[in-house]
Amino acid sequence: MYRIEEPIYFYLLAIIPAMIVIFLLVFWWKKRMQRTFSDAALLKKLAPNSSTFKNTLKLIFLVVGIAFLVIGLTNPKMGTKLKTVKREGVDVVFALDVSKSMLAEDIAPNRLEKSKQIISKIIDKLGSDRVGIIVYAGNSYPLLPITTDHGAANMFLQNANPDMVSSQGTAINEALELAKTYYNNDEQTNRFLIIISDGEDHQEETKQVAQNLANEGVKIYTIGVGTEKGGPIPMRLNGSMIGYKKDNKGETVISKRVPKVLQGIADASNGTYIDGNVTDNPVNKIANIIANAEKNEFETKQFSDYKDQFQWFLALGLLFLVIDIFLFDKKTKWLKKVDLFNEENNKK
């Protein structure tokens, strides 16, 4: 297992494309000036050792050297062993609706991306709490088992999309049943289930399922995204917009948020419904609720004894820069004497 201690230094990699652009501009300018004073045949006689290949090779060594130095500055670390540690916290499971209606753009950038932002920011505010993620549409899918690795949670979250679920619809009941398997009954931790959806197409028996889950000690909160006015559902092919979803009559489908459904689920489980259109609203409320919840001790496994690996990248970076310094931009004389293709005999 590895981690990056100072990822902000990756921004320095922007130097590399700038260097390449400058190299190309200088190369173009030199060629233009050379053509101004002499033709190609005469220039070859005047500067027989000039080598475009060697100039390009020097640039490659320079770029690779800088890339390794930048990676070294980020201080990558490698976990050397897995150990069991005791931590205090609660269990938080997010059930994210990834049905097609969540692609509606009545809130920017769309309902699904807004939901991801909310979950990501809540995770960032958690301490040593464990998190898990479920995605659902026509059926439910365990995106991430419950874990203390918040970095992994955010990484998996970014990959959530409607294509992950084989059928469309809103099978919230399946998501609730799946959430039960995330909690360890042997550990008496506080348990939270955060449902994020637009509330469309939920089933009537959902309230009863939510109530049963609440009776088992799970605190359920619902977050609604989207507007009640609604918006069309964009259809894309290979990332390009091809139109909007239409019904059987050929009319554009308008997807609307249904807060009444989400409010009903929250009420049935003694939870709370929160408007999610303004990101900070649900983030701060959920973060405060979890922060004030009673924390319980649990065991978890994590990588420990992370060792710095920056020295390897700095050494490689310096090596490439030294090679670049001692690499001349002229043709190599001893290499010219090696007649690999028997050119001299062919001239006779």
Side-chain angles (χ1 to χ4, degrees):
M1 188 65 179
Y2 71 91
R3 68 183 181 193
I4 303 297
E5 189 170 64
E6 300 290 343
I8 192 170
Y9 285 109
F10 277 125
Y11 286 113
L12 293 176
L13 291 175
I15 296 172
I16 293 176
M19 290 176 58
I20 295 173
V21 170
I22 292 172
F23 172 81
L24 292 174
L25 289 174
V26 170
F27 179 78
W28 172 81
W29 175 80
K30 284 183 176 180
K31 290 294 182 182
R32 184 181 178 186
M33 295 302 294
Q34 289 168 357
R35 286 196 299 268
T36 302
F37 295 102
S38 65
D39 58 29
L42 180 59
L43 184 62
K44 192 172 181 180
K45 292 180 180 180
L46 293 173
N49 292 323
S50 178
S51 174
T52 301
F53 170 76
K54 294 290 284 293
N55 278 301
T56 305
L57 190 60
K58 280 177 64 65
L59 176 67
I60 292 172
F61 278 114
L62 181 61
V63 165
V64 173
I66 290 175
F68 276 124
L69 290 179
V70 170
I71 295 173
L73 288 174
T74 65
N75 193 15
K77 295 186 174 185
M78 187 74 70
T80 57
K81 68 179 181 180
L82 193 66
K83 73 174 184 179
T84 301
V85 296
K86 291 185 179 294
R87 303 178 69 172
E88 284 191 345
V90 300
D91 290 344
V92 184
V93 176
F94 296 94
L96 174 61
D97 184 354
V98 292
S99 57
K100 294 288 188 181
S101 64
M102 292 292 284
L103 298 177
E105 299 172 345
D106 50 345
I107 55 172
N110 61 44
R111 297 175 187 175
L112 182 57
E113 291 303 317
K114 171 66 75 172
S115 300
K116 290 181 183 181
Q117 291 173 10
I118 293 170
I119 295 175
S120 181
K121 289 192 174 185
I122 292 175
I123 291 174
D124 290 341
K125 287 180 175 288
L126 299 180
S128 57
D129 308 293
R130 294 185 294 196
V131 297
I133 303 175
I134 294 169
V135 294
Y136 69 92
N139 49 28
S140 61
Y141 177 79
L143 184 65
L144 178 72
I146 203 156
T147 178
T148 55
D149 191 341
H150 295 173
N154 277 319
M155 182 179 68
F156 276 84
L157 176 65
Q158 299 311 311
N159 294 326
N161 63 78
D163 296 331
M164 301 184 76
V165 182
S166 56
S167 60
Q168 287 302 304
T170 312
I172 183 62
N173 290 352
E174 283 192 27
L176 293 173
E177 292 293 339
L178 181 59
K180 290 182 182 180
T181 66
Y182 271 59
Y183 306 108
N184 190 334
N185 293 327
D186 295 331
E187 297 174 352
Q188 299 303 312
T189 58
N190 269 314
R191 307 167 186 181
F192 293 87
L193 175 61
I194 316 297
I195 301 171
I196 305 182
S197 174
D198 54 19
E200 277 198 332
D201 299 330
H202 285 70
Q203 300 160 325
E204 287 296 325
E205 60 270 23
T206 298
K207 293 181 182 179
Q208 184 60 51
V209 178
Q211 187 175 358
N212 294 339
L213 197 58
N215 292 337
E216 296 182 18
V218 179
K219 301 173 179 64
I220 301 177
Y221 295 86
T222 58
I223 299 174
V225 291
T227 64
E228 294 180 44
K229 180 181 178 181
I233 303 172
M235 305 296 290
R236 288 183 167 83
L237 181 64
N238 297 326
S240 300
M241 178 83 166
I242 58 174
Y244 293 100
K245 184 177 180 181
K246 300 184 182 298
D247 59 19
N248 294 332
K249 298 179 181 178
E251 297 180 356
T252 300
V253 174
I254 301 298
S255 173
K256 301 178 181 180
R257 181 180 65 169
V258 187
K260 182 179 178 181
V261 171
L262 298 172
Q263 182 72 63
I265 295 173
D267 292 342
S269 56
N270 296 319
T272 303
Y273 166 72
I274 305 170
D275 189 312
N277 286 351
V278 178
T279 304
D280 288 343
N281 183 39
V283 170
N284 293 332
K285 286 185 178 179
I286 296 296
N288 288 334
I289 290 169
I290 294 174
N292 295 322
E294 182 182 352
K295 307 292 182 178
N296 300 90
E297 189 178 80
F298 55 82
E299 289 186 349
T300 184
K301 293 185 182 294
Q302 66 180 36
F303 281 97
S304 63
D305 294 340
Y306 279 87
K307 292 185 177 179
D308 294 332
Q309 306 294 327
F310 70 91
Q311 62 273 14
W312 302 105
F313 295 98
L314 292 182
L316 286 170
L318 292 174
L319 175 62
F320 277 98
L321 291 182
V322 169
I323 294 173
D324 176 72
I325 292 172
F326 288 98
L327 184 67
F328 296 108
D329 56 1
K330 305 296 182 183
K331 291 180 180 179
T332 307
K333 293 183 178 179
W334 67 265
L335 190 60
K336 289 171 62 179
K337 296 178 180 178
V338 180
D339 192 8
L340 294 176
F341 302 100
N342 200 25
E343 293 176 347
E344 293 298 325
N345 289 335
N346 291 334
K347 291 178 181 178
K348 295 178 180 180

